[in-house]
Amino acid sequence: MTAIPHIEGTLSHKLDPKGRVAVPIEWRSMPLGNIRMMPAQTYGVETLRFLSECFYQQQLTKIDSMKDELGAAKILRAKGAFIRRCAPVKINEQGKLQVPKAQSLSANIDFNSEVMLVGFGTYFEIYSIQNYDLMVAEEAKEITEFNDIIGGF
């Protein structure tokens, strides 16, 4: 069974001119396994999502569990689409993660700029500063609701 990481926090880092960003040592020391990157949206805001092996496998299992609702053919297409959108990435010996140029542009991330790394438990996301501010503004609209339901926000 794959160990479950718990990636948390929000950190500002600089993407260097070659598109590399330092991943916090606290995150690197977790059982991330094979990391996969995919384009994503959070609150409708473009981001790059980096999936731990645990999260990746959970998503594949979730897709498989929907066989009764979707049927075998749709399950196969859904898994294919998910797998196709994920690209393997590695954290190098210096703790840096290379962000491909094409994917960075799709999330409004410029090389040699500040970015926000945001932990979501079993995955993390990288935002441009502008997109991070948009995401936080959208999230703030739900925080009151979360607080009313769950408390402690």
Side-chain angles (χ1 to χ4, degrees):
M1 177 159 170
T2 305
I4 299 175
H6 189 74
I7 305 163
E8 60 186 16
T10 300
L11 307 149
S12 174
H13 277 266
K14 183 155 177 118
L15 199 66
D16 73 16
K18 294 182 180 179
R20 297 172 300 197
V21 65
V23 175
I25 193 160
E26 299 84 10
W27 295 4
R28 293 192 317 257
S29 64
M30 292 184 195
L32 299 176
N34 297 320
I35 301 171
R36 292 170 179 88
M37 178 192 67
M38 68 182 295
Q41 286 190 355
T42 299
Y43 293 105
V45 178
E46 299 293 331
T47 185
L48 295 177
R49 186 169 293 157
F50 294 83
L51 315 178
S52 66
E53 182 68 23
C54 174
F55 184 81
Y56 180 78
Q57 293 301 328
Q58 285 173 345
Q59 291 302 98
L60 290 174
T61 300
K62 184 177 180 180
I63 294 169
D64 280 336
S65 74
M66 301 175 81
K67 196 175 221 171
D68 292 340
E69 298 126 73
L70 300 177
K74 247 189 187 169
I75 291 294
L76 190 59
R77 289 193 307 272
K79 282 179 79 171
F82 177 70
I83 292 167
R84 178 183 53 76
R85 295 181 74 220
C86 294
V89 293
K90 293 201 181 290
I91 297 172
N92 70 19
E93 303 81 39
Q94 290 83 33
K96 292 191 176 187
L97 182 69
Q98 177 72 49
V99 177
K101 184 73 168 177
Q103 285 80 1
S104 72
L105 294 175
S106 73
N108 300 321
I109 296 170
D110 295 320
F111 284 11
N112 205 28
S113 67
E114 288 293 318
V115 294
M116 298 300 291
L117 280 69
V118 183
F120 288 92
T122 54
Y123 65 92
F124 65 94
E125 294 179 345
I126 297 180
Y127 291 86
S128 67
I129 297 294
Q130 178 184 4
N131 281 12
Y132 175 75
D133 290 342
L134 291 170
M135 184 276 292
V136 169
E138 289 299 314
E139 180 184 60
K141 295 174 184 176
E142 279 192 322
I143 293 293
T144 301
E145 179 184 352
F146 294 156
N147 194 42
D148 290 346
I149 296 168
I150 303 165
F153 269 82

